[in-house]
Amino acid sequence: MATVLLCRRFPRLSRVTTFSTAAKCKAESGSSESKQKKEENPETANTRTESVATIQLLNPLDYRVLYNPSAYTKSGAASQQHTARTGGRALGDAFTSPGTAQVQHTFGTTSSQALPPTRHALSKPKSKQLLKQTISACFSAAQTKEEAEKEKTEMHDSKEDPRTFQKGRPEYRSLSYDRFEPVETLPLEEGDSILHSVAVCEDSQSPGAIADSFHKLSRLPVEQHGALVSKASFNMLCRGAVENMRLFSTSDLLDILKACVRLALPPAHPLLNACEDEFCRRVWDMNMDQALLVADCWRCLERSVPSYLSILFSYANMRWKDLTLPQFVQLLYIIGEGRRSPTDLMQKMESMILKYLDSFTLEEVGAICLGLFKSLSGISDHVMRKIADRVSLQMEDMSTYALVNVLKILRYTRMDHLPLLKELGKVIPARIPTINIQGIMHITLTCSSLHYFDEGILAAVATSLPSKVTYCRSKDAAKFLWSFGCLDYEPPNEEEFYSSLIEQMHRKLHEFRKFPEHLLTGLLGLAFVKRFPEELIDYALRDEFVQKTRASKYELKKDLFTLGKSVEIECPGYQGSRLPPQFYQEITEMILNFAEEEIYVRPEIVEATSLLESMLGGPEYVKNHMILPHTRSSDLEVHLAMDGHPVPFNFKHPVADKKLKDIGVSLTDDLMTQLIKGRSNSQPSLEVENEARTPRQERGEEAQTPRAGDRAVLSSGALTPDARWQAEPKAGRGLEAPPSLALGRQPRGVKLAIQVSNRNHYCYCSKRLLGLHCLKRRQLRQLGYVVVELPFWEWFPLLKRTRLEKLSYLQYKVFDPALLSRA
């Protein structure tokens, strides 16, 4: 029977779901292959012999990915060895319900052109039909193998991969336990005999005999371990071990613990409780190798042992100068896996890193960096730079897994090591297709965290990601979106890139209930590049999701604020959920209070504000505030009339308000006339307001009155003679506005949003604006502002120059004729 191929394309997704129905060949060459397919897919065993149906799903809701460290390593042999070890560990255990069956999925890529149409196949000779079917089967087998290899590439064992460094030196055999080291298998009959003797001699077994029984039983075939642990006689053996715990020698006790590792006892097993207590008691009597080996066994058992680790770290703290290189690396591995950072010990670790740095293998360098990263240990810039120096010189020889671990700690310490980053741009792009999705994510996130833009790296990531996107966890998808948005990079395949990630975010929506921070991370990354997926935004702004964010260990209110306000400004047609007004009010107050203490008072902003006030005529003409609080940076707002004259607008200036309250207002006849009849025809309202105040000289506000030199700069610059009234206030009174700018008769003008930028607004060593600041300027323009920048590479050097030079620069920026034409 012929083969039919049906394809359905998911919306905005480059991958397809393939449904294939293949005829079963009756020829001898085809029967064995068909039988093999039946064994690999038992669900098809009961189908009719005329056809075998195979459904290959792209990505069901609870899709689970198998692990394999080949994702990170360069060696194919090592990859195969890890594959044999890891078997079926699941990547998203925290995200997948325990009852979900683990299924390995493959994605068919067979072209319909490779299979003959049904109506033509029936009319062709049988031999040709069989030949075509055989060729098709060969192609299918090759493609299945290719997909299997691809899936192996995506596998990653977070438990075993960090232990790769232990294979580099024979000394680690005494410091760590290899669960997968080949051992001579014990025959089942001998195992039964041991258990029978335990049952018969329960109370008369010696400690040595108990330890020997554990050692032998751990050599039973792996498939027998589950049944063994549940047997009553084995439980009797465990009780005997607990009762004799104090009588075991340290070596016997270690043998029992290693047997527990091989038998994969549950972490909370009573025997392990007793072992932990005894090892805590004995630490100070053991040598360093034994103490580290015990800690390694606890890691293999996935048992949390804070008490034991605390004693071990104290023990190591006393003998840290005697640590050998392997002992030191193993200790840092244990510190990382235990997620504990003993402060007094870590300070001494830095000197050990410098001592052994040139002697470490590259895998050991990666292990040290991972230990520091996982334990959130602080590391000095000096030590981090030394590590980065070595890595930048040997990066090509380093496995990708070890390199990614170095990038993690580089990211954590915010180290701007340019030689390493440049070398990364040379080495990594070619490796991207062979790295698994988590490794690619960490590489991309390092670039964005350090604000380092390398188009070669990002383009390679964007090219490879759509075909790997189904392996993304919610965290991975969010970090990719954030990183590309943060660096404001839209790749050549931007539509395919973004649509595939947005589709994956939809598929992972159930994970965001537990990890709400990832959804907001991804949506903000999309907002930076002006992409607003309505359904995901509606979900993120719902009250139930907002409530979930409050339970997160991260502060997410500011992210919600930025997202909600951005949607209001840039998506006027949005009809979904919105944040309540009281939420906006609460966060705005919090951000503005922070700005008052930390942002408005920065020297470069204070100087620009003071000079602009002096140049324009006073605080009424400049407002230092956040026009868009959700963008978390300040602006200097200035208004200009269409004829180029500044327009006063900041009448709620805190200094002016305070002085008015102190001195009151004199009720003159002229002022009463204005209050009753309206503004006087002979005097602008601004002049009346200024007359009611104490003269500037009496208030001590000399800084607001331009000096003679300032006036010379202003009058010789772009300002017209008619505009010089701005810089020359009359003695004894406030500034007068010309009739054309009087209140009530102001012409249509332009609002300037002056940005005093700094290095953190840009990519590292470049003039490429970061995503958040691109978003801010885009939204300011949408609200009618003209953005004027005082870039840090121009303004910061000027801060050390003369006042006149600074005034001349500001005059050039503010009174640029092009601003009015742009408005």
Side-chain angles (χ1 to χ4, degrees):
M1 184 177 291
T3 303
V4 180
L5 184 73
L6 302 175
C7 297
R8 178 172 66 85
R9 183 170 292 275
F10 282 88
R12 296 175 298 179
L13 194 61
S14 61
R15 303 287 296 275
V16 297
T17 302
T18 307
F19 301 92
S20 61
T21 305
K24 180 179 179 182
C25 299
K26 295 183 181 179
E28 204 169 303
S29 60
S31 62
S32 61
E33 182 179 342
S34 180
K35 180 179 179 181
Q36 184 181 358
K37 288 184 178 180
K38 270 190 174 183
E39 291 173 354
E40 292 175 354
N41 188 1
E43 292 179 3
T44 65
N46 296 328
T47 59
R48 294 184 302 172
T49 57
E50 288 81 11
S51 65
V52 178
T54 302
I55 297 178
Q56 296 173 324
L57 297 179
L58 179 66
N59 190 29
L61 181 63
D62 286 327
Y63 185 80
R64 300 177 72 175
V65 182
L66 302 181
Y67 284 144
N68 180 12
S70 63
Y72 285 128
T73 56
K74 295 171 70 175
S75 168
S79 301
Q80 293 174 5
Q81 185 179 10
H82 278 287
T83 304
R85 292 179 179 184
T86 52
R89 291 193 54 78
L91 174 61
D93 287 343
F95 303 144
T96 312
S97 59
T100 304
Q102 183 172 332
V103 183
Q104 182 171 351
H105 299 279
T106 58
F107 307 106
T109 57
T110 306
S111 169
S112 59
Q113 295 177 355
L115 304 175
T118 304
R119 52 185 179 157
H120 295 306
L122 294 175
S123 63
K124 290 187 178 181
K126 186 175 182 180
S127 59
K128 289 186 178 180
Q129 181 180 349
L130 288 175
L131 178 61
K132 280 190 172 287
Q133 288 177 344
T134 303
I135 293 173
S136 175
C138 290
F139 275 117
S140 179
Q143 287 159 352
T144 301
K145 184 179 179 181
E146 182 182 346
E147 291 295 341
E149 287 297 321
K150 182 176 181 180
E151 186 138 337
K152 272 204 298 185
T153 302
E154 294 303 323
M155 295 174 186
H156 167 57
D157 190 335
S158 60
K159 184 176 173 182
E160 285 303 315
D161 288 354
R163 303 168 67 83
T164 305
F165 74 94
Q166 295 170 349
K167 298 172 180 60
R169 298 179 191 269
E171 294 91 333
Y172 287 112
R173 293 175 185 170
S174 62
L175 306 174
S176 60
Y177 184 67
D178 187 355
R179 294 182 300 158
F180 306 102
E181 183 180 2
V183 295
E184 185 181 352
T185 303
L186 187 76
L188 293 177
E189 297 78 12
E190 190 172 343
D192 291 337
S193 175
I194 293 172
L195 292 174
H196 177 71
S197 63
V198 168
V200 172
C201 310
E202 179 184 359
D203 299 326
S204 59
Q205 280 197 311
S206 67
I210 293 174
D212 187 59
S213 296
F214 272 103
H215 175 69
K216 289 180 178 179
L217 290 172
S218 69
R219 290 165 41 208
L220 284 170
V222 175
E223 58 270 16
Q224 299 295 323
H225 290 177
L228 170 68
V229 171
S230 62
K231 287 183 178 179
S233 51
F234 180 78
N235 289 330
M236 291 170 61
L237 181 65
C238 291
R239 282 199 302 271
V242 172
E243 291 168 1
N244 290 276
M245 192 61 63
R246 295 279 179 107
L247 303 178
F248 289 115
S249 67
T250 300
S251 59
D252 284 343
L253 196 57
L254 275 168
D255 284 341
I256 292 175
L257 185 60
K258 288 189 284 187
C260 292
V261 174
R262 185 169 287 277
L263 293 170
L265 258 60
H269 196 282
L271 174 59
L272 298 181
N273 295 339
C275 284
E276 182 185 351
D277 292 341
E278 185 61 21
F279 277 119
C280 284
R281 193 180 67 82
R282 295 192 189 195
V283 171
W284 292 96
D285 298 324
M286 296 190 293
N287 59 44
M288 182 60 71
D289 283 10
Q290 290 174 326
L292 290 171
L293 175 58
V294 171
D296 196 69
C297 288
W298 293 132
R299 171 57 186 153
C300 293
L301 286 162
E302 297 186 335
R303 179 181 170 93
S304 177
V305 286
S307 297
Y308 180 83
L309 292 182
S310 179
I311 300 170
L312 171 64
F313 297 154
S314 297
Y315 178 78
N317 197 31
M318 295 289 291
R319 307 182 184 184
W320 68 277
K321 289 185 179 180
D322 300 326
L323 291 173
T324 64
L325 185 152
Q327 287 174 342
F328 170 72
V329 178
Q330 180 69 13
L331 177 61
L332 265 181
Y333 162 74
I334 294 298
I335 288 173
E337 297 306 304
R339 304 308 199 270
R340 298 196 58 192
S341 178
T343 306
D344 52 346
L345 180 59
M346 294 312 299
Q347 292 172 350
K348 297 169 183 175
M349 294 294 96
E350 288 201 2
S351 62
M352 295 294 287
I353 291 174
L354 295 176
K355 175 182 176 181
Y356 290 124
L357 184 57
D358 293 334
S359 303
F360 291 135
T361 67
L362 292 173
E363 288 300 319
E364 286 172 334
V365 172
I368 287 168
C369 290
L370 184 61
L372 294 171
F373 175 76
K374 284 187 173 181
S375 61
L376 300 180
S377 301
I379 180 172
S380 68
D381 287 352
H382 174 66
V383 175
M384 186 68 248
R385 196 166 294 280
K386 288 289 187 182
I387 293 174
D389 286 342
R390 183 180 173 192
V391 171
S392 63
L393 295 175
Q394 297 181 280
M395 191 179 294
E396 285 191 2
D397 302 323
M398 201 171 198
S399 74
T400 306
Y401 180 75
L403 177 57
V404 167
N405 291 337
V406 174
L407 295 180
K408 288 178 180 178
I409 190 64
L410 195 75
R411 184 176 86 219
Y412 178 72
T413 56
R414 310 287 299 179
M415 171 63 70
D416 54 341
H417 194 281
L418 197 56
L420 185 147
L421 293 172
K422 286 184 175 179
E423 189 66 18
L424 189 72
K426 298 175 185 176
V427 172
I428 278 297
R431 292 194 195 180
I432 291 294
T434 63
I435 305 174
N436 85 335
I437 204 72
Q438 290 186 47
I440 297 174
M441 181 273 287
H442 282 296
I443 292 167
T444 310
L445 185 59
T446 297
C447 289
S448 67
S449 296
L450 299 178
H451 296 171
Y452 182 71
F453 179 81
D454 187 297
E455 188 167 9
I457 295 175
L458 296 178
V461 170
T463 301
S464 296
L465 192 134
S467 63
K468 297 170 175 276
V469 76
T470 52
Y471 296 99
C472 283
R473 303 165 297 173
S474 57
K475 176 181 179 179
D476 300 324
K479 298 297 186 184
F480 280 123
L481 291 171
W482 168 266
S483 298
F484 275 68
C486 176
L487 297 173
D488 190 39
Y489 178 66
E490 298 205 21
N493 63 333
E494 61 181 280
E495 288 307 322
E496 182 187 25
F497 174 80
Y498 281 110
S499 63
S500 64
L501 281 171
I502 291 171
E503 196 70 32
Q504 186 68 359
M505 295 277 281
H506 277 279
R507 282 194 289 264
K508 295 294 181 181
L509 202 59
H510 61 288
E511 294 182 10
F512 296 128
R513 298 186 185 99
K514 187 173 183 181
F515 302 101
E517 62 273 11
H518 296 331
L519 179 58
L520 293 179
T521 295
L523 290 177
L524 284 177
L526 287 166
F528 292 162
V529 292
K530 205 174 182 181
R531 292 176 184 269
F532 298 91
E534 186 167 338
E535 292 179 7
L536 293 176
I537 291 171
D538 175 64
Y539 181 82
L541 299 183
R542 290 178 191 170
D543 185 61
E544 58 182 321
F545 183 83
V546 174
Q547 294 300 323
K548 291 182 184 298
T549 64
R550 292 175 180 171
S552 172
K553 62 181 179 180
Y554 302 100
E555 173 53 65
L556 301 177
K557 290 181 179 179
K558 292 179 182 178
D559 291 345
L560 280 168
F561 183 46
T562 301
L563 178 64
K565 282 296 183 182
S566 295
V567 170
E568 281 189 10
I569 295 171
E570 300 202 55
C571 305
Y574 172 73
Q575 299 295 323
S577 304
R578 295 184 184 273
L579 297 172
Q582 58 268 28
F583 179 90
Y584 286 138
Q585 184 178 355
E586 174 191 346
I587 305 303
T588 299
E589 283 185 22
M590 179 177 71
I591 291 176
L592 293 182
N593 288 337
F594 172 79
E596 291 280 356
E597 298 176 1
E598 300 291 337
I599 298 179
Y600 301 156
V601 295
R602 290 175 182 168
E604 66 272 17
I605 296 177
V606 170
E607 181 76 352
T609 306
S610 174
L611 289 169
L612 283 171
E613 289 178 355
S614 177
M615 183 178 80
L616 300 177
E620 304 89 42
Y621 294 87
V622 184
K623 188 172 185 180
N624 178 11
H625 69 134
M626 287 184 173
I627 298 174
L628 302 176
H630 64 278
T631 60
R632 311 172 201 177
S633 57
S634 68
D635 314 270
L636 300 180
E637 185 172 356
V638 171
H639 293 186
L640 297 178
M642 290 307 292
D643 59 3
H645 290 166
V647 177
F649 69 98
N650 184 24
F651 300 116
K652 293 186 178 179
H653 189 273
V655 175
D657 286 349
K658 185 175 184 298
K659 296 300 180 183
L660 282 173
K661 289 177 183 176
D662 290 344
I663 64 172
V665 177
S666 301
L667 292 178
T668 63
D669 292 339
D670 199 316
L671 180 57
M672 288 297 296
T673 302
Q674 290 183 60
L675 291 174
I676 297 171
K677 298 184 178 180
R679 180 180 47 80
S680 169
N681 292 329
S682 61
Q683 189 179 38
S685 60
L686 176 61
E687 185 178 339
V688 173
E689 180 175 336
N690 285 330
E691 273 193 340
R693 302 181 185 177
T694 305
R696 291 180 188 273
Q697 287 80 356
E698 295 179 15
R699 296 192 326 219
E701 297 182 17
E702 296 178 2
Q704 295 178 357
T705 304
R707 303 169 187 172
D710 300 349
R711 293 197 296 271
V713 171
L714 295 174
S715 60
S716 63
L719 280 176
T720 62
D722 291 339
R724 258 182 283 169
W725 60 271
Q726 308 274 6
E728 300 182 37
K730 297 178 181 179
R733 59 186 299 177
L735 292 176
E736 290 186 17
S740 61
L741 296 182
L743 295 182
R745 295 189 285 125
Q746 291 182 6
R748 183 165 174 261
V750 55
K751 295 183 293 183
L752 303 184
I754 301 175
Q755 312 289 297
V756 183
S757 65
N758 61 57
R759 287 174 177 81
N760 289 333
H761 295 179
Y762 289 85
C763 292
Y764 180 63
C765 290
S766 81
K767 296 179 181 179
R768 185 185 187 89
L769 205 61
L770 292 172
L772 176 62
H773 301 285
C774 288
L775 172 142
K776 174 184 176 177
R777 297 186 185 192
R778 186 175 71 232
Q779 292 179 3
L780 283 171
R781 293 187 188 99
Q782 196 158 341
L783 293 175
Y785 285 88
V786 173
V787 177
V788 177
E789 181 181 10
L790 309 184
F792 70 88
W793 58 87
E794 293 176 358
W795 181 240
F796 279 44
L798 272 174
L799 295 177
K800 300 177 183 178
R801 306 301 291 268
T802 66
R803 177 182 175 87
L804 295 182
E805 287 175 294
K806 288 180 278 191
L807 283 168
S808 180
Y809 173 79
L810 291 174
Q811 176 193 338
Y812 163 76
K813 283 288 187 178
V814 173
F815 295 106
D816 182 358
L819 297 180
L820 297 177
S821 61
R822 275 157 53 191

